[in-house]
Amino acid sequence: MNFSFAFILIVSFFLLIQSHQISGKQSTSNQGPVVAPALYVFGDSLVDSGNNNYLQTLAKANYLPYGVDFPNGPTGRFTNGKTTVDFFAEWLGLPYLPPYLGLSEEEKSKTITGINYASGASGILPETGTLIGDTLCLEEQVNYFERTVKDDLPKSLKTQEEISKHLSKSILVLQMGSNDYINNYLQPANYNSSRTYNPQQFSDLVISTLKNQLVGLYNLGARKFVVFELGPIGCAPGIVGRETPKPITPCLESVNNLVNIFNLGLTTMTQELASTLQGSNFIHGLVFKKSYEQNQSPLKYGYTGGSTPCCPSGPNGPGPCVPNGTPCEDRNAHLYWDVGHPVQRVNYEVAKDCFDGSSTCFPINIRQLACI
């Protein structure tokens, strides 16, 4: 490749996997309000609401044009507007989830409607993404949730019975794992994982690590889980664009084959936990198939801009949005906001079907989960 090493590190993060331009139907679910006491989010830049603003990292999105369509402007969300979990919060009758690192100690003790622990560039494995700077790996995110449960919730919920009920009715969303490939396994010059493990072994390692953390969340009192599989990261413009020569197909299938191995193992693991952890409910978010089809045939799904990123990334190749760059006018026409993150329209469509539909989330949707 013809990029400098430093630039590759910056670009690798962004290869993860507009409110006023999109129909007003996005603001609410069309079947009436559903109420959950809280929503807790774990993940990477697909759902980060600003934790990376407080870390020493190159992975930041707290500047325009990021957030150009979000009500509060740039917040650290890696898209033009809302993320999937922003829509979930709205439809569950909750405020947008604050980033954990942005809360004061007093605010932590008063926040009972949910918190976002996600961190851009982070992974399920602790070493993932660290070349870009500080991240909150999944273990650290779970550790912060433990502080929430043991130190902060007791200041608002006075009895253990209240806390247990609150946690059992709350919904936990986890969307993570792309960086364990993008910012780890697919970087043999920087990580030895691809030399140490074959694809199946690496998938098993990541999934076993994830499983242990999910069990830890269950032991802290959580009972309702929404766990998303990985999308087709081999179709991301940054992944495809850095290949020389450029693939003749829309996607780099060798990368998507790695994702498919992981997704198969994830399905098996979450089904196992659902059957062994008493009182638990696991929703499996199925996002690969539709996203892959959209990348193969964007016009069929109304994305006339295809996989071309909506924000300018500068003259040196695929990368983050140029600060204060002018993004494309019709954000609804594009699948990707930057070289690795979807536009708000894509996030809305995923969220809407997972919340009310039957094809994205299995075996039930979030509306049904909230009513259990």
Side-chain angles (χ1 to χ4, degrees):
M1 296 190 296
N2 58 358
F3 308 128
S4 70
F5 176 70
F7 185 75
I8 292 173
L9 289 183
I10 297 173
V11 171
S12 65
F13 158 67
F14 288 91
L15 307 179
L16 300 171
I17 41 152
Q18 35 212 223
S19 60
H20 70 269
Q21 287 194 327
I22 299 179
S23 166
K25 292 181 180 178
Q26 289 199 349
S27 62
T28 58
S29 179
N30 62 13
Q31 297 184 29
V34 174
V35 177
L39 182 67
Y40 295 100
V41 173
F42 307 82
D44 53 32
S45 61
L46 292 173
V47 289
D48 186 356
S49 63
N51 280 304
N52 275 27
N53 297 347
Y54 305 91
L55 298 174
Q56 294 297 316
T57 176
L58 297 173
K60 292 183 184 292
N62 55 350
Y63 61 89
L64 287 171
Y66 289 103
V68 65
D69 298 310
F70 191 73
N72 300 326
T75 58
R77 288 165 169 82
F78 290 79
T79 184
N80 60 302
K82 300 172 187 176
T83 66
T84 53
V85 294
D86 289 327
F87 290 114
F88 292 157
E90 287 182 2
W91 300 333
L92 289 168
L94 302 171
Y96 295 135
L97 308 179
Y100 180 83
L101 296 182
L103 295 172
S104 67
E105 292 305 311
E106 181 180 4
E107 289 170 331
K108 290 173 186 174
S109 68
K110 295 179 179 179
T111 302
I112 62 171
T113 54
I115 293 176
N116 189 315
Y117 305 92
S119 170
S122 67
I124 294 168
L125 300 180
E127 65 271 21
T128 290
T130 53
L131 288 176
I132 297 170
D134 296 334
T135 67
L136 302 180
C137 69
L138 180 56
E139 182 179 9
E140 292 175 290
Q141 294 180 32
V142 173
N143 287 342
Y144 280 136
F145 178 73
E146 183 174 9
R147 292 188 193 179
T148 298
V149 171
K150 294 184 176 181
D151 298 339
D152 299 324
L153 287 180
K155 296 173 183 176
S156 295
L157 305 174
K158 300 305 181 183
T159 68
Q160 186 57 48
E161 182 180 358
E162 285 183 84
I163 294 172
S164 296
K165 182 178 180 181
H166 171 86
L167 292 171
S168 67
K169 293 295 184 181
S170 297
I171 295 175
L172 276 65
V173 176
L174 188 145
Q175 191 161 8
M176 201 172 199
S178 294
N179 285 308
D180 292 294
Y181 290 93
I182 296 167
N183 284 321
N184 188 330
Y185 197 73
L186 293 173
Q187 290 197 36
N190 304 317
Y191 295 90
N192 64 6
S193 52
S194 62
R195 297 189 297 274
T196 305
Y197 307 100
N198 65 36
Q200 185 62 60
Q201 290 169 336
F202 184 72
S203 172
D204 292 343
L205 171 65
V206 178
I207 287 174
S208 66
T209 305
L210 172 58
K211 179 181 179 181
N212 289 338
Q213 296 302 328
L214 289 172
V215 172
L217 292 170
Y218 173 86
N219 289 336
L220 288 168
R223 294 295 181 267
K224 298 182 179 183
F225 300 87
V226 182
V227 182
F228 280 93
E229 68 179 8
L230 304 187
I233 58 178
C235 300
I239 288 284
V240 176
R242 73 180 183 179
E243 285 297 303
T244 305
K246 185 177 179 180
I248 59 174
T249 58
C251 304
L252 194 60
E253 299 305 345
S254 60
V255 174
N256 285 337
N257 289 339
L258 297 175
V259 171
N260 284 326
I261 293 172
F262 176 89
N263 286 346
L264 182 61
L266 182 68
T267 301
T268 301
M269 183 269 285
T270 54
Q271 289 175 343
E272 177 189 340
L273 290 183
S275 64
T276 57
L277 298 179
Q278 185 176 4
S280 69
N281 290 276
F282 280 84
I283 286 179
H284 189 69
L286 305 170
V287 294
F288 183 95
K289 184 176 183 291
K290 183 175 181 180
S291 181
Y292 182 80
E293 291 172 350
Q294 288 174 332
N295 276 274
Q296 294 291 319
S297 306
L299 291 178
K300 176 182 176 182
Y301 294 90
Y303 290 96
T304 56
S307 59
T308 302
C310 195
C311 75
S313 60
N316 297 319
C321 298
V322 172
N324 297 311
T326 302
C328 63
E329 205 168 305
D330 186 2
R331 267 81 84 177
N332 287 337
H334 294 251
L335 287 166
Y336 291 92
W337 169 246
D338 58 20
V339 297
H341 302 92
V343 296
Q344 178 179 263
R345 176 188 168 185
V346 172
N347 290 333
Y348 169 77
E349 290 177 353
V350 171
K352 188 66 177 70
D353 194 69
C354 186
F355 196 89
D356 278 322
S358 59
S359 60
T360 298
C361 284
F362 173 86
I364 58 175
N365 59 39
I366 292 180
R367 175 179 291 278
Q368 294 165 325
L369 180 68
C371 295
I372 295 176

